[in-house]
Amino acid sequence: MADRNTFRLMLLILGLVFAFLYIPISVLVGLSFNEGGLPTAWTGFSVKWYGSLLEDADILKAAGNTLIVAVSSTILATILGTLLAVGVEIRRRNGKWLETIIFAPMIIPDIVLAIALLSMFSLLNIKMGLHTITVSHVVFNLAFVCAVVRARLKSFDWSIVEASADLGASTMITLYRVVIPVLMPAIVAGGLLAFTLSVDEFIIAFFTAGAGRSSITLPMQIFAMIRFGVTPEINALATIVISVSVVALALSQRLNKGGLPGQ
């Protein structure tokens, strides 16, 4: 009886936590289909606000910038993060120190990392724009890709690498034809996670975008729009961003059957 009551209490707590997390998001998604112009009063079902997004040049421009940054930073972060994960796993002697350095961007507050990147670009006298946002997102996403790939490497059979070397394969051929195919699910999962983080990221992009509207991303556009009040159009735009993030994250979790290092 005590175990049953404990189980019910845990279910109740879990339900309250999920309600606290997802009811506001559900309300936002529901109101994005609100026919009326009031963001908080339901007047009927309509998808017109999604159509109006396609007629807004600023939103389309911001969406294009977001895709450019997300795709570019994902490709770079995935390549570098995978190579870094393999290198760290090979150099196990200094693993703890290397992990501390590599995974620092994951625990440093975004605002601190954004200020550091802004200071670096200013010190180097680099004109900021989409290219600086992309570089900044690579720095931010690199640790996450490395973490996902390293989790896969924990169960990697290194004897197949030795067998490849015994058969005369060079290091590059072994990496390309043996290591990468085995790690591919984790590499894709890390890439999808990096893409999700890049699409959602606001603070670092805001600090490293520079002046002008040419480098505004979707989160920055939403922030600019919401200063004048919440509208159903903003709800529709936020729903699209949430949907893209959820799909990418779900695919990443499905591909990554391991976990982060240390788990």
Side-chain angles (χ1 to χ4, degrees), residues 183-255:
L183 297 179
M184 187 55 67
I187 293 173
V188 175
L192 289 171
L193 179 59
F195 180 83
T196 303
L197 294 172
S198 184
V199 168
D200 293 343
E201 207 286 317
F202 168 73
I203 296 178
I204 295 176
F206 183 80
F207 273 75
T208 59
R213 297 191 56 84
S214 60
S215 56
I216 288 181
T217 61
L218 265 182
M220 295 168 64
Q221 179 66 28
I222 293 175
F223 176 74
M225 294 169 63
I226 206 171
R227 287 183 297 177
F228 301 99
V230 180
T231 65
E233 192 175 35
I234 294 177
N235 291 337
L237 183 56
T239 299
I240 293 175
V241 174
I242 291 172
S243 301
V244 171
S245 301
V246 169
V247 170
L249 187 59
L251 290 174
S252 174
Q253 290 296 319
R254 184 175 180 83
L255 289 170

Side-chain angles (χ1 to χ4, degrees), residues 69 121 126-137 208-209 215:
V69 171
F121 292 137
I126 297 176
K127 184 178 179 180
M128 287 184 285
L130 290 182
H131 57 288
T132 53
I133 299 177
T134 301
V135 172
S136 301
H137 281 194
T208 59
S215 56

Side-chain angles (χ1 to χ4, degrees), residues 7-17:
F7 179 72
R8 289 176 178 175
L9 178 61
M10 295 300 296
L11 284 180
L12 176 62
I13 294 174
L14 183 62
L16 292 175
V17 170

Side-chain angles (χ1 to χ4, degrees), residues 68-127:
I68 291 172
V69 171
V71 172
S72 302
S73 63
T74 296
I75 293 174
L76 291 173
T78 301
I79 294 173
L80 296 176
T82 300
L83 294 176
L84 183 61
V86 174
V88 171
E89 190 65 22
I90 292 175
R91 292 292 300 274
R92 293 181 182 181
R93 289 182 305 168
N94 301 321
K96 295 299 181 181
W97 289 105
L98 287 174
E99 286 184 7
T100 302
I101 297 173
I102 293 169
F103 299 134
M106 298 174 63
I107 58 176
I108 294 176
D110 287 357
I111 186 70
V112 175
L113 184 59
I115 294 173
L117 290 167
L118 173 61
S119 300
M120 184 190 71
F121 292 137
S122 300
L123 182 64
L124 297 176
N125 198 26
I126 297 176
K127 184 178 179 180

